[in-house]
Amino acid sequence: LAKTTQPISMDSYEGQEVNITCSHNNIATNDYITWYQQFPSQGPRFIIQGYKTKVTNEVASLFIPADRKSSTLSLPRVSLSDTAVYYCLEQRGGGADGLTFGKGTHLIIQP
Amino acid sequence: DGGITQSPKYLFRKEGQNVTLSCEQNLNHDAMYWYRQDPGQGLRLIYYSQIVNDFQKGDIAEGYSVSREKKESFPLTVTSAQKNPTAFYLCASSRGAAGLTYEQYFGPGTRLTVT
């Protein structure tokens, strides 16, 4: 069963860049790293996915080093509305391994 | 608007009764999923389906059943055999049947309370 480790919680302030790191020491060759965001009483929302190096979209960047044993989600210039739980998943093509979300990281943004 | 609908948003049942949660999607996605979330916890996979008339158990399938008779619909039945059914239930879908690395789109969830 694919397993990732993330900090339980993080605090930051509006306008700052926030980096959330996820460890996945046993990542398999065909695993992708995917990040989701969840607000209370809502379903998670896809943020970004990557396999290696760096991926950037309109909301975040994802950095994955060469050994792929960790990844870092980077949120530029956060606002109060970025307060949410962020989940890191190893998603494996061809099977359901990694489709269990851990407890995630509760990010709290303060004014 | 394309998306996933779950109904009802809140559901109350007496212990010992079966209850069926609805999930419909108009995204033309092949794969659909059911998750359970308990307070302060992450999501756990109950069942998933990669194609019509086929589905597989997830990590916590005991006490649940599903059907996939139509591409758009993936109802979940919480049976009386489920020991702790009170939870927040989330349905999701993704395109593509062969791989499960696709982005998942989630519905708004159904909060089930069993007393």
Coordinates of all heavy atoms in Angstrom, one line a residue, chain B residues 4-44:
Chain B
I4 N -20.3 16.3 -10.7 CA -20.8 15.1 -9.9 C -21.8 15.6 -8.9 O -21.5 16.6 -8.2 CB -19.6 14.4 -9.2 CG1 -18.6 14.0 -10.2 CG2 -20.1 13.3 -8.4 CD1 -17.4 13.3 -9.5
T5 N -22.9 14.9 -8.8 CA -23.9 15.2 -7.9 C -24.1 14.1 -6.9 O -24.0 12.9 -7.3 CB -25.2 15.6 -8.5 OG1 -25.6 14.5 -9.3 CG2 -25.1 16.8 -9.4
Q6 N -24.2 14.4 -5.7 CA -24.5 13.4 -4.6 C -25.8 13.8 -3.9 O -25.9 15.0 -3.6 CB -23.4 13.3 -3.6 CG -22.1 12.7 -4.2 CD -21.0 12.5 -3.1 OE1 -20.0 13.1 -3.1 NE2 -21.3 11.6 -2.2
S7 N -26.6 12.9 -3.6 CA -27.8 13.2 -2.9 C -28.2 12.1 -1.9 O -27.9 10.9 -2.2 CB -29.0 13.5 -3.8 OG -29.3 12.4 -4.6
P8 N -28.8 12.5 -0.8 CA -29.0 13.8 -0.3 C -27.7 14.4 0.3 O -26.7 13.6 0.5 CB -30.1 13.7 0.7 CG -29.8 12.3 1.3 CD -29.3 11.5 0.1
K9 N -27.7 15.6 0.8 CA -26.5 16.2 1.4 C -26.4 15.6 2.9 O -25.3 15.4 3.4 CB -26.6 17.7 1.5 CG -25.3 18.4 1.9 CD -25.4 19.9 1.7 CE -24.1 20.5 2.1 NZ -22.9 20.0 1.4
Y10 N -27.6 15.5 3.5 CA -27.6 14.9 4.9 C -28.6 13.8 4.9 O -29.7 13.9 4.3 CB -28.1 16.0 5.9 CG -27.1 17.2 6.0 CD1 -27.4 18.3 5.3 CD2 -26.0 17.1 6.8 CE1 -26.5 19.4 5.4 CE2 -25.1 18.2 6.9 CZ -25.4 19.3 6.2 OH -24.5 20.4 6.3
L11 N -28.3 12.7 5.6 CA -29.1 11.5 5.6 C -29.1 11.0 7.0 O -28.0 10.8 7.6 CB -28.6 10.5 4.6 CG -29.5 9.3 4.3 CD1 -30.9 9.7 3.9 CD2 -28.8 8.5 3.2
F12 N -30.3 10.7 7.6 CA -30.4 10.1 8.9 C -31.1 8.8 8.8 O -32.1 8.7 8.1 CB -31.2 11.1 9.8 CG -30.5 12.4 10.0 CD1 -30.8 13.5 9.1 CD2 -29.6 12.6 11.0 CE1 -30.1 14.7 9.2 CE2 -29.0 13.9 11.1 CZ -29.2 14.9 10.3
R13 N -30.5 7.8 9.5 CA -31.1 6.5 9.5 C -31.1 5.8 10.8 O -30.2 6.2 11.6 CB -30.4 5.6 8.5 CG -30.8 5.8 7.0 CD -32.3 5.4 6.8 NE -32.6 5.5 5.4 CZ -33.2 6.6 4.9 NH1 -33.4 7.7 5.6 NH2 -33.5 6.6 3.6
K14 N -32.0 4.9 11.1 CA -31.9 4.1 12.3 C -31.0 2.9 12.1 O -30.9 2.4 11.0 CB -33.3 3.6 12.6 CG -34.3 4.7 13.0 CD -34.0 5.3 14.3 CE -35.1 6.3 14.7 NZ -34.7 7.0 16.0
E15 N -30.4 2.5 13.2 CA -29.5 1.4 13.1 C -30.2 0.2 12.6 O -31.4 0.0 13.0 CB -28.9 1.1 14.5 CG -27.8 0.2 14.6 CD -27.2 0.1 16.0 OE1 -27.2 1.2 16.7 OE2 -26.8 -1.0 16.4
G16 N -29.6 -0.6 11.8 CA -30.2 -1.9 11.3 C -30.8 -1.7 9.9 O -31.3 -2.7 9.3
Q17 N -30.9 -0.5 9.4 CA -31.5 -0.2 8.1 C -30.4 -0.1 7.1 O -29.4 0.5 7.3 CB -32.3 1.1 8.1 CG -33.6 1.0 9.0 CD -34.3 2.4 9.0 OE1 -33.7 3.4 8.8 NE2 -35.6 2.3 9.3
N18 N -30.7 -0.6 5.9 CA -29.8 -0.3 4.8 C -30.1 1.0 4.2 O -31.3 1.5 4.3 CB -30.0 -1.4 3.7 CG -29.5 -2.8 4.1 OD1 -28.9 -2.9 5.1 ND2 -29.8 -3.7 3.2
V19 N -29.1 1.7 3.7 CA -29.4 3.0 3.0 C -28.5 3.1 1.8 O -27.4 2.7 1.8 CB -29.1 4.1 4.0 CG1 -27.6 4.1 4.5 CG2 -29.4 5.5 3.4
T20 N -29.1 3.7 0.7 CA -28.4 3.9 -0.5 C -28.1 5.3 -0.8 O -29.0 6.2 -0.8 CB -29.2 3.3 -1.7 OG1 -29.3 1.9 -1.5 CG2 -28.4 3.5 -3.0
L21 N -26.8 5.6 -1.1 CA -26.3 7.0 -1.4 C -26.2 7.1 -2.9 O -25.6 6.2 -3.5 CB -25.0 7.2 -0.7 CG -25.0 7.6 0.8 CD1 -25.7 6.6 1.6 CD2 -23.6 7.9 1.3
S22 N -26.7 8.2 -3.4 CA -26.7 8.4 -4.9 C -25.4 9.1 -5.3 O -24.9 10.0 -4.6 CB -27.9 9.2 -5.3 OG -27.8 9.6 -6.6
C23 N -24.9 8.8 -6.5 CA -23.8 9.5 -7.1 C -24.0 9.5 -8.6 O -24.1 8.4 -9.2 CB -22.4 8.9 -6.8 SG -21.1 9.7 -7.6
E24 N -24.1 10.6 -9.2 CA -24.3 10.8 -10.7 C -23.2 11.7 -11.2 O -22.9 12.7 -10.6 CB -25.6 11.3 -11.0 CG -26.8 10.5 -10.4 CD -27.2 9.3 -11.3 OE1 -26.9 9.4 -12.5 OE2 -27.7 8.3 -10.7
Q25 N -22.7 11.4 -12.4 CA -21.7 12.3 -13.1 C -22.1 12.4 -14.5 O -22.5 11.5 -15.2 CB -20.3 11.8 -12.9 CG -20.0 10.3 -13.4 CD -19.4 10.2 -14.7 OE1 -19.1 11.2 -15.4 NE2 -19.1 9.0 -15.1
N26 N -21.9 13.7 -15.0 CA -22.1 13.9 -16.5 C -20.8 14.4 -17.1 O -20.9 15.2 -18.1 CB -23.2 14.9 -16.6 CG -22.9 16.3 -16.0 OD1 -21.8 16.5 -15.4 ND2 -23.8 17.2 -16.0
L27 N -19.7 13.9 -16.6 CA -18.4 14.2 -17.2 C -17.9 13.2 -18.2 O -16.8 13.3 -18.8 CB -17.4 14.3 -16.0 CG -17.7 15.3 -15.0 CD1 -16.8 15.1 -13.7 CD2 -17.5 16.7 -15.6
N28 N -18.7 12.2 -18.5 CA -18.4 11.1 -19.4 C -17.1 10.4 -18.9 O -16.3 9.9 -19.7 CB -18.2 11.6 -20.8 CG -18.3 10.5 -21.8 OD1 -19.0 9.5 -21.6 ND2 -17.5 10.6 -22.9
H29 N -16.9 10.3 -17.6 CA -15.8 9.6 -17.0 C -16.0 8.1 -16.9 O -17.1 7.7 -16.6 CB -15.5 10.1 -15.6 CG -14.8 11.5 -15.7 ND1 -14.6 12.2 -14.5 CD2 -14.3 12.2 -16.7 CE1 -14.0 13.3 -14.9 NE2 -13.8 13.4 -16.2
D30 N -15.0 7.3 -17.2 CA -15.1 5.9 -17.1 C -15.0 5.4 -15.7 O -15.7 4.4 -15.3 CB -14.0 5.2 -17.9 CG -14.2 5.3 -19.4 OD1 -15.4 5.0 -19.8 OD2 -13.3 5.7 -20.1
A31 N -14.2 6.0 -14.9 CA -13.9 5.5 -13.5 C -14.7 6.3 -12.5 O -14.8 7.5 -12.6 CB -12.4 5.5 -13.2
M32 N -15.2 5.5 -11.5 CA -15.9 6.2 -10.3 C -15.4 5.5 -9.0 O -15.0 4.4 -9.0 CB -17.4 6.1 -10.5 CG -17.9 6.8 -11.8 SD -19.7 6.9 -11.9 CE -20.1 8.1 -10.6
Y33 N -15.5 6.3 -8.0 CA -15.0 5.9 -6.7 C -15.9 6.3 -5.5 O -16.6 7.3 -5.6 CB -13.6 6.5 -6.4 CG -12.7 6.6 -7.6 CD1 -12.8 7.5 -8.6 CD2 -11.6 5.6 -7.7 CE1 -11.9 7.5 -9.7 CE2 -10.8 5.7 -8.7 CZ -10.9 6.6 -9.7 OH -10.0 6.7 -10.8
W34 N -15.9 5.5 -4.4 CA -16.5 5.9 -3.2 C -15.5 5.9 -2.1 O -14.7 5.0 -1.9 CB -17.6 5.0 -2.8 CG -18.9 5.3 -3.4 CD1 -19.6 4.7 -4.5 CD2 -19.8 6.4 -3.0 NE1 -20.8 5.3 -4.7 CE2 -21.0 6.3 -3.9 CE3 -19.8 7.3 -2.0 CZ2 -22.0 7.2 -3.8 CZ3 -20.8 8.2 -1.9 CH2 -21.9 8.1 -2.8
Y35 N -15.5 7.0 -1.3 CA -14.6 7.2 -0.2 C -15.5 7.4 1.1 O -16.6 8.0 1.0 CB -13.7 8.4 -0.3 CG -12.6 8.2 -1.4 CD1 -12.9 8.6 -2.7 CD2 -11.4 7.7 -1.1 CE1 -12.0 8.5 -3.7 CE2 -10.4 7.6 -2.1 CZ -10.7 8.0 -3.4 OH -9.8 7.9 -4.4
R36 N -14.9 7.1 2.2 CA -15.4 7.5 3.5 C -14.4 8.3 4.2 O -13.2 8.1 4.2 CB -15.7 6.2 4.3 CG -16.0 6.4 5.7 CD -16.1 5.1 6.5 NE -16.2 5.4 7.9 CZ -17.1 4.8 8.7 NH1 -17.9 3.8 8.2 NH2 -17.2 5.1 10.0
Q37 N -15.0 9.4 4.9 CA -14.1 10.3 5.7 C -14.7 10.4 7.1 O -15.9 10.8 7.2 CB -13.9 11.6 5.0 CG -12.9 12.5 5.8 CD -12.6 13.8 5.0 OE1 -13.5 14.4 4.3 NE2 -11.4 14.2 5.1
D38 N -13.9 10.1 8.1 CA -14.3 10.3 9.5 C -13.7 11.6 10.0 O -12.7 12.1 9.5 CB -13.9 9.1 10.3 CG -14.6 7.8 9.9 OD1 -15.8 7.8 10.2 OD2 -14.0 7.0 9.3
P39 N -14.3 12.2 11.1 CA -13.8 13.5 11.5 C -12.3 13.5 11.8 O -11.8 12.6 12.5 CB -14.6 13.7 12.8 CG -15.9 12.9 12.6 CD -15.5 11.7 11.8
G40 N -11.7 14.5 11.3 CA -10.2 14.7 11.5 C -9.3 13.7 10.7 O -8.1 13.7 11.0
Q41 N -9.9 12.9 9.9 CA -9.2 11.8 9.2 C -9.1 12.1 7.7 O -9.9 13.0 7.2 CB -9.8 10.5 9.5 CG -10.0 10.1 10.9 CD -8.6 10.0 11.6 OE1 -7.7 9.3 11.1 NE2 -8.5 10.7 12.8
G42 N -8.3 11.3 7.0 CA -8.3 11.4 5.6 C -9.4 10.6 5.0 O -10.3 10.1 5.7
L43 N -9.3 10.4 3.7 CA -10.3 9.6 2.9 C -9.8 8.2 2.8 O -8.7 7.9 2.5 CB -10.5 10.2 1.5 CG -11.4 11.5 1.4 CD1 -10.6 12.7 2.0 CD2 -11.7 11.7 0.0
R44 N -10.8 7.3 3.0 CA -10.4 5.8 2.8 C -11.3 5.3 1.7 O -12.5 5.5 1.6 CB -10.7 5.1 4.1 CG -9.6 5.4 5.2 CD -9.9 4.5 6.4 NE -11.1 4.9 7.1 CZ -11.6 4.2 8.1 NH1 -11.0 3.1 8.4 NH2 -12.7 4.6 8.7

